Amino acid sequence: MAELFLRGQPLADATGTSFPIEAVLFDKDGTLCISEPMLHTLAEARVFHACELLGKRHPELPTSRAEELAQLLQRAYGLRSSAIHPAGATAVGSRSHNLISTATALAQVGLGWPEALELSESVFAATDGLHGQGSEHRPIATAGLHDLMQALQEAGVVCAVISNDDEAGIEAFLASQNLRSRFQALWSADHNPRKPDPAAVLALCAQLGIQPNRCALIGDANSDLRMAQQAGVSVVLGYGAGWSIAPPLDPRFPCLQHWRELQVNAGQHIG
């Protein structure tokens, strides 16, 4: 087992008792990788295609309906002019979450639910190629991650990914960054239950054969952090450097801005 230190201080409870850990569970988008440029392009394309298809299917609707739809989708996706809000559906939701958000926006501008859902499927079919390794803005590892992974491996700490991306997307990112061998397990949107259900953490820990109280979890969303806490994870850390807009993380949880702030065992500084 190993101990984690944040900016040189041991991660401990209120009594000063440190938490020895055997595994670290990582969120993917905004934590392991910088995916904002890819997700921004994807969200913009989904808004464009949704408005275009709405106009083609219902030319009788006033143009104000398309404008209303665009605004609804931008808010739901967390789409800004040059950024993605880290708490928006594009940043933290699975593909199916975003599909339902899209259909809901279409229903709000007057479509019946069956048509709204079918049109959303068409929008996503037209834009899925912009996601993951098919994007011209491929996700890249966050600064200092490779050094951290090396230190964790040398300390004998098992690592896993818990993400709302699908398994193929996680695998593609890890392979593209030469990180696949560093991770012993994955929990994706293809698994059941999904994040942010605490049972997802428990299932991943069971897969690893490690108790939650011997684990750390690092994520960029409050839903990740609260999920980990509810699952009994001992060390829960926020990561705030994966987005151009700082994620609104709960201040009850310690947070880091660069992987070099995290050390594994005494003296093993990162990067």
Side-chain angles (χ1 to χ4, degrees):
M1 286 186 281
E3 289 180 287
L4 294 181
F5 292 73
L6 182 61
R7 295 181 284 276
Q9 298 298 313
L11 289 161
D13 62 19
T15 68
T17 303
S18 62
F19 300 105
I21 62 160
E22 299 178 52
V24 179
L25 315 180
F26 291 89
D27 169 55
K28 174 180 166 280
D29 291 308
T31 303
L32 288 178
C33 70
I34 296 173
S35 54
E36 185 172 18
M38 174 196 72
L39 293 174
H40 190 272
T41 298
L42 177 65
E44 283 192 321
R46 285 174 174 170
V47 172
F48 172 80
H49 282 279
C51 293
E52 184 178 62
L53 281 175
L54 178 67
K56 287 180 178 179
R57 300 278 185 89
H58 293 281
E60 76 282 2
L61 291 176
T63 57
S64 60
R65 288 294 177 87
E67 294 169 359
E68 181 185 356
L69 175 63
Q71 292 173 1
L72 288 168
L73 291 175
Q74 287 162 2
R75 287 197 294 270
Y77 294 162
L79 179 61
R80 304 292 190 266
S81 60
S82 60
I84 289 288
H85 195 284
T90 301
V92 299
S94 65
R95 183 184 186 279
S96 62
H97 292 155
N98 280 276
L99 185 72
I100 294 300
S101 294
T102 304
T104 301
L106 286 162
Q108 287 182 294
V109 298
L111 271 62
W113 183 251
E115 185 184 7
L117 195 57
E118 185 274 327
L119 196 150
S120 298
E121 293 278 10
S122 297
V123 168
F124 277 49
T127 57
D128 278 347
L130 299 173
H131 189 258
Q133 298 307 305
S135 172
E136 63 179 270
H137 304 291
R138 296 183 180 185
I140 60 171
T142 42
L145 179 63
H146 286 85
D147 292 332
L148 173 64
M149 300 310 301
Q150 177 69 29
L152 289 168
Q153 186 174 63
E154 290 175 356
V157 177
V158 172
C159 294
V161 180
I162 181 165
S163 170
N164 270 332
D165 195 1
D166 59 32
E167 190 165 351
I170 299 170
E171 292 278 11
F173 162 70
L174 294 178
S176 74
Q177 301 297 300
N178 297 315
L179 286 168
R180 186 61 186 90
S181 64
R182 304 292 195 187
F183 291 88
Q184 284 67 56
L186 311 176
W187 197 267
S188 72
D190 299 323
H191 291 81
N192 187 43
R194 298 174 179 171
K195 290 196 323 177
D197 190 332
V201 174
L202 299 178
L204 178 55
C205 290
Q207 183 177 322
L208 294 170
I210 298 173
Q211 292 297 315
N213 63 0
R214 295 295 186 184
C215 292
L217 185 143
I218 307 174
D220 66 328
N222 286 325
S223 55
D224 288 343
L225 308 185
R226 292 166 186 161
M227 169 188 69
Q229 185 180 57
Q230 291 166 16
V233 172
S234 292
V235 176
V236 182
L237 294 172
Y239 182 82
W243 305 94
S244 55
I245 298 172
L249 295 175
D250 189 329
R252 293 179 300 163
F253 299 99
C255 182
L256 60 151
Q257 298 296 326
H258 194 287
W259 295 120
R260 63 172 169 259
E261 297 175 41
L262 191 63
Q263 298 94 43
V264 187
N265 288 343
Q268 293 192 32
H269 292 263
I270 309 306

